[in-house]
Amino acid sequence: MAYDVFITNAPEDEVLATAAFSSLEKAGIKCWLASKNLVHGKINEAYVEKVIKSAKVMVIIFSTNTNKAAYLAGQLNIATRSNLHIFPLRTGEAE
């Protein structure tokens, strides 16, 4: 279940997250993205935490929508506690 990259995003940023996923996968980098790896509507927080901890890095799609998605703070917290490198992919006027 180990992944190179855990990609996280607000639902409104799904198009960009999917594009990042596809580009990285094409380059041979194994990625995890909720819309690609979870059964729709079946979010298991314990499983997601295991995936984050197994990843080498996290990419967060950072936009004005980020603060609306409360779960992102929890995922960032897990990544920080797990000493993952976190790479923000900033879009638009995100602050």
Side-chain angles (χ1 to χ4, degrees):
M1 158 174 79
Y3 292 89
D4 298 315
V5 179
F6 179 93
I7 301 172
T8 190
N9 60 283
E12 298 87 351
D13 299 321
E14 188 61 34
V15 171
L16 183 55
T18 300
F21 176 91
S22 296
S23 294
L24 292 168
E25 288 272 318
K26 260 188 196 175
I29 299 169
K30 188 173 180 183
C31 298
W32 189 95
L33 178 64
S35 64
K36 301 288 185 186
N37 297 99
L38 284 179
V39 175
H40 187 66
K42 301 283 185 183
I43 296 176
N44 178 321
E45 292 179 22
Y47 173 73
V48 171
E49 183 171 349
K50 282 183 181 181
V51 174
I52 292 170
K53 289 178 176 180
S54 78
K56 296 176 183 172
V57 301
M58 173 185 273
V59 171
I60 180 170
I61 308 301
F62 191 73
S63 74
T64 55
N65 301 311
T66 302
N67 288 335
K68 298 175 196 171
Y71 61 89
L72 292 177
Q75 291 177 353
L76 283 169
N77 190 10
I78 294 165
T80 301
R81 286 191 325 245
S82 301
N83 294 316
L84 260 65
H85 295 285
I86 301 169
F87 296 94
L89 180 57
R90 188 172 177 209
T91 70
E93 297 297 320
E95 292 185 18

